[in-house]
């Protein structure tokens, strides 16, 4: 069976790698902190000492790390993916990162005869674990077709939005929508608490009508239990909103609601809650915490 | 069969009245502009010349009008509901209005031996027409039980949130949530258009994942067709957000995301689009209209 490389064994990467192993693929992995790869190594993944060695060992190398700077490092470092990849190979970055960096990787890869795709996902830890991620692809259509059997293992839906960077743009659109559902949910709960409403009843009633949304259904009950464990890290969501607003700024686009969401998540992260889930946003409202 | 009074034959009132007539109730109506009552008069409703005469003609009087000032007028005017209501009667305001006014009506009604409920709804014109509204009740529990057979005709779900005004507070919580879904949807579409994404594909992909919400499903396709006909008037949504923020302000609660939504809808209404539906918010973004 085909061998696949995977850089990044965080919550998302671990879920994806486990599904690839379960489907019979051989997987070679690298992670900045090796200890965090132990779970997939125990399941049979092979360790490589650098991203370059992962790429040298496999015809298809995928990555999902934290921040754009991490993506820069694993692709362009001296021991990076592009240092190890051979002509004809495929590299796929699934990190939510900048459209600009996606185009830069594609261009640099192309100079080496390597094809690069940007393929950020939505669906969170549960989607990664269950193989039901939504994948938003930018880049070469033929390369995407080659990858389809792999996407079938890890995703429920895959759509190509255009050339390099367009997968990242689609993901930014997704995050802008979530900025709305998360800020709305948060301020709804804060208002409801402050005015003496029964919060469970508010979730049930509001969630049944024209205000219904995934965040309310999934995060509302967690907030009421005080469960702020991350389905999605607040620090990563803030990173995404910064990318979205930076891209908007480049084309002269003003997005006031998304800016407000970014400022609120900045306050949350600045207060030391970046490793909480996005549902922890209630914590910056004094009416919630007092 | 019981006779019910109904003040206000707008889109919402007309839908509700038609369902009451269809269930066999006799309905006596009043509307500021009589011509707008013609549809329900043609279906067999009886006309009364003033709100007071509606109340004098019926043991249960319901109302759904536009703004809190309209509610003030129909309850407290010389020819208002409370001038015509007799001890033992029930009055139910379904307008989305202020919790303060709801408590004022309940107190004034109580002095006359009349029981008043606040019972704002969600579900829009479609919910009113199909009898599937969600009703959020504040006020006397026994009165609510008396009204249950009527609610069964017009609503899919009814919940009591507490004493007078709490129905309005629950509705405000609902509108705060919708402020998030509408601003998120709008800025997502504006960003997607400006970055060259295929908007239908964005709606399909984003709507299938953790950004899923009712506004995206129902208003997204309308926006793409340039259909701004009101499911819910922008001017009424702005009124609701102002009430919510005014209530929040009274208790020292800062809701930055809801404030941003209010400012955006103010710009929309100030630009002359108050009679559009809430999905017309895209119109204030130059990237959408140019």
């Amino acid at each position: 069976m085909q061998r696949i490389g995977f850089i990044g064994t965080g919550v998302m990467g671990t879920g994806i790698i486990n599904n690839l192993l379960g489907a019979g693929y051989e997987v070679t992995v690298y992670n900045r902190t090796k200890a965090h790869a132990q779970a997939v190594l125990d399941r049979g993944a092979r360790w490589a000492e650098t991203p370059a060695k992962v790429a040298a060992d496999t015809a298809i190398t995928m990555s999902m790390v934290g921040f754009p700077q991490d993506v820069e490092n694993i692709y362009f470092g001296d021991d990076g993916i592009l240092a190890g990849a051979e002509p004809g190979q495929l590299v796929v970055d699934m990190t939510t990162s900048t459209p600009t960096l996606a185009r830069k990787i594609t261009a640099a890869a192309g100079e080496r005869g390597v094809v690069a795709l940007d393929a950020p996902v939505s669906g969170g830890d549960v989607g990664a674990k269950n193989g039901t991620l939504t994948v938003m692809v930018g880049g070469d259509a033929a390369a995407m077709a080659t990858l389809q059997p792999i996407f079938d293992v890890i995703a429920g839906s895959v759509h190509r939005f255009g050339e390099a960077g367009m997968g990242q743009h689609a993901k930014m659109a997704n995050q802008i929508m979530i900025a709305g559902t998360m800020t709305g949910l948060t301020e709804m709960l804060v208002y409801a608490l402050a005015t003496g409403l029964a919060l469970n009843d508010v979730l049930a009633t509001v969630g049944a009508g024209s205000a219904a949304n995934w965040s309310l259904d999934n995060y509302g009950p967690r907030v009421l239990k005080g469960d702020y464990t991350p389905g999605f890290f607040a620090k990563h969501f803030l990173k995404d909103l910064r990318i979205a607003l930076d891209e908007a700024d480049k084309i002269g686009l003003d997005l006031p609601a998304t800016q407000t969401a970014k400022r609120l998540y900045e306050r949350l992260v600045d207060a030391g809650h970046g490793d909480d889930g996005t549902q922890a946003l209630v914590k910056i409202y004094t009416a919630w915490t007092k």
Side-chain angles (χ1 to χ4, degrees), chain A residues 38-266:
Chain A
Q38 199 55 51
V40 296
L41 297 177
D42 289 346
R43 297 255 332 237
R46 173 198 306 225
W47 177 255
E49 288 297 333
T50 66
K53 287 182 180 168
V54 171
D57 195 40
T58 58
I60 295 171
T61 301
M62 309 174 84
S63 56
M64 182 163 324
V65 293
F67 292 85
Q69 186 58 55
D70 302 320
V71 176
E72 284 264 0
N73 294 343
I74 63 166
Y75 278 87
F76 296 105
D78 291 341
D79 291 324
I81 291 170
L82 293 181
E86 304 283 332
Q89 291 194 6
L90 261 174
V91 297
V92 185
D93 185 32
M94 309 185 81
T95 316
T96 297
S97 172
T98 73
T100 303
L101 182 52
R103 289 190 293 268
K104 179 181 167 185
I105 292 171
T106 296
E111 290 171 8
R112 291 164 173 75
V114 174
V115 177
L117 298 181
D118 47 306
V121 304
S122 70
D125 53 342
V126 175
K129 188 178 177 188
N130 296 342
T132 56
L133 292 167
T134 296
V135 186
M136 291 158 263
V137 179
D140 186 67
M144 176 174 154
T146 303
L147 288 165
Q148 193 61 51
I150 294 171
F151 286 141
D152 288 344
V153 170
I154 66 176
S157 100
V158 184
H159 188 80
R160 180 178 172 272
F161 283 90
E163 296 306 318
M166 295 304 279
Q168 296 295 354
H169 274 312
K171 179 65 189 284
M172 289 303 120
N174 188 78
Q175 301 306 74
I176 290 169
M177 182 69 249
I178 291 179
T181 58
M182 288 309 300
T183 56
L185 172 65
T186 300
E187 296 198 353
M188 175 186 80
L189 288 172
V190 170
Y191 179 93
L193 180 71
T195 56
L197 291 163
L199 299 185
N200 274 311
D201 293 347
V202 168
L203 286 183
T205 294
V206 172
S210 49
N213 66 89
W214 190 98
S215 292
L216 185 155
D217 289 343
N218 288 273
Y219 289 131
R222 293 197 212 177
V223 174
L224 265 52
K225 285 185 288 190
D227 174 6
Y228 302 117
T229 53
F232 190 63
F233 283 122
K235 65 185 178 186
H236 286 163
F237 191 55
L238 174 59
K239 173 257 297 181
D240 295 354
L241 295 180
R242 284 174 168 160
I243 294 172
L245 289 167
D246 189 47
E247 291 294 323
D249 200 48
K250 283 181 187 172
I251 52 176
L253 190 62
D254 188 27
L255 301 175
T258 309
Q259 282 163 358
T260 300
K262 187 207 70 167
R263 280 195 294 271
L264 293 171
Y265 274 98
E266 268 171 354

